[in-house]
């Protein structure tokens, strides 16, 4: 298995094309989400303004504030979750493709090195062993970096999820208390 320049160029072009298509897909999904969120915010604003115009007393205002706060927070959190899901999906697609591309290139390079080492002159066994060890060490280092990157991404996603849940709980609990203080 030899690496021809045109195959290498085609592989690189196909990878760049995949990356661009994946990025555009994510951007398109994000644009649709943003348009939907904008429409929802506008509709909620109109509805809330109509409700505020109909308030007759302080108690009605307090009840209205309670009713407005929680759905707004939930919509914001849902929007954040959707953005994270779109980004995560794109990241996973690109990660899979990069891993596949790296594995394929690595196999080709290893095969090429094996062929070159097979035709090495007599007495070069130490150099051949050193090259093989260097390739093995580079592969192990790459695997280790991939594992660390995946773990870091998982920790970051878990932290964002935990912070989001804590924010929802805190604001849901605080909204009625703040509204009650205003009424008093």
């Amino acid at each position: 298995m030899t690496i021809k320049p045109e195959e290498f160029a085609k592989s690189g072009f196909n990878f760049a094309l995949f990356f661009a298509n994946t990025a555009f897909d994510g951007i398109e999904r994000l644009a649709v989400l943003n348009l939907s969120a904008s429409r929802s915010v506008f509709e909620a604003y109109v509805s809330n303004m109509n409700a505020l115009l109909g308030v007759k007393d302080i108690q009605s205002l307090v009840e209205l504030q309670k009713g407005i706060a929680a759905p707004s927070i939930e919509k914001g959190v849902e929007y954040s979750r959707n953005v994270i899901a779109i980004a995560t999906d794109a990241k996973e697609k690109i990660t899979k493709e990069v891993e596949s591309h790296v594995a394929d290139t690595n196999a080709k390079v290893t095969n090429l090195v094996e062929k070159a080492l097979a035709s090495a002159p007599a007495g070069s066994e130490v150099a051949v062993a050193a090259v093989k060890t260097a390739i093995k060490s580079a592969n192990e280092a790459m695997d280790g970096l991939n594992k660390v990157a995946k773990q870091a991404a998982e920790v970051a996603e878990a932290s964002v999820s935990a912070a989001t849940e804590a924010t929802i709980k805190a604001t849901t609990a605080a909204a009625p208390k703040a509204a009650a203080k205003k009424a008093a």
Side-chain angles (χ1 to χ4, degrees):
M1 178 197 296
T2 59
I3 302 173
K4 297 178 183 173
E6 59 272 8
E7 288 175 7
F8 183 75
K10 185 176 180 182
S11 175
F13 177 75
N14 287 339
F15 178 73
L17 189 60
F18 171 82
F19 182 82
N21 283 330
T22 302
F24 283 132
D25 179 56
I27 292 167
E28 182 180 18
R29 290 173 57 198
L30 192 57
V32 168
L33 176 65
N34 284 336
L35 286 172
S36 175
S38 296
R39 178 180 290 125
S40 177
V41 166
F42 179 72
E43 289 170 354
Y45 172 76
V46 170
S47 174
N48 293 341
M49 286 305 295
N50 284 330
L52 280 171
L53 292 173
V55 169
K56 305 274 190 232
D57 59 15
I58 295 295
Q59 185 60 32
S60 298
L61 179 63
V62 170
E63 291 301 318
L64 180 62
Q65 284 179 330
K66 287 180 189 178
I68 291 174
S72 297
I73 293 166
E74 289 170 9
K75 284 181 183 180
V77 169
E78 183 63 25
Y79 173 81
S80 297
R81 285 183 181 147
N82 286 332
V83 169
I84 290 169
I86 290 169
T88 300
D89 184 49
K91 175 195 68 100
E92 287 173 359
K93 285 179 182 177
I94 290 171
T95 299
K96 262 188 202 174
E97 187 65 21
V98 166
E99 287 173 355
S100 172
H101 195 71
V102 166
D104 183 52
T105 302
N106 191 21
K108 288 177 182 177
V109 168
T110 300
N111 189 21
L112 185 64
V113 168
E114 288 292 331
K115 284 183 179 181
L117 294 178
S119 61
S124 61
E125 292 80 17
V126 173
V128 168
V131 169
K132 286 182 177 180
T133 301
I135 290 173
K136 182 180 176 188
S137 296
N139 288 338
E140 289 171 355
M142 187 66 141
D143 288 342
L145 288 174
N146 283 338
K147 287 178 185 175
V148 168
K150 285 180 183 178
Q151 289 172 347
E154 289 170 2
V155 167
E157 286 178 29
S159 296
V160 167
S161 293
T164 300
E165 292 302 321
T167 301
I168 291 172
K169 288 178 184 175
T171 51
T172 303
K177 291 177 186 175
K181 271 188 173 178
K182 284 184 182 179

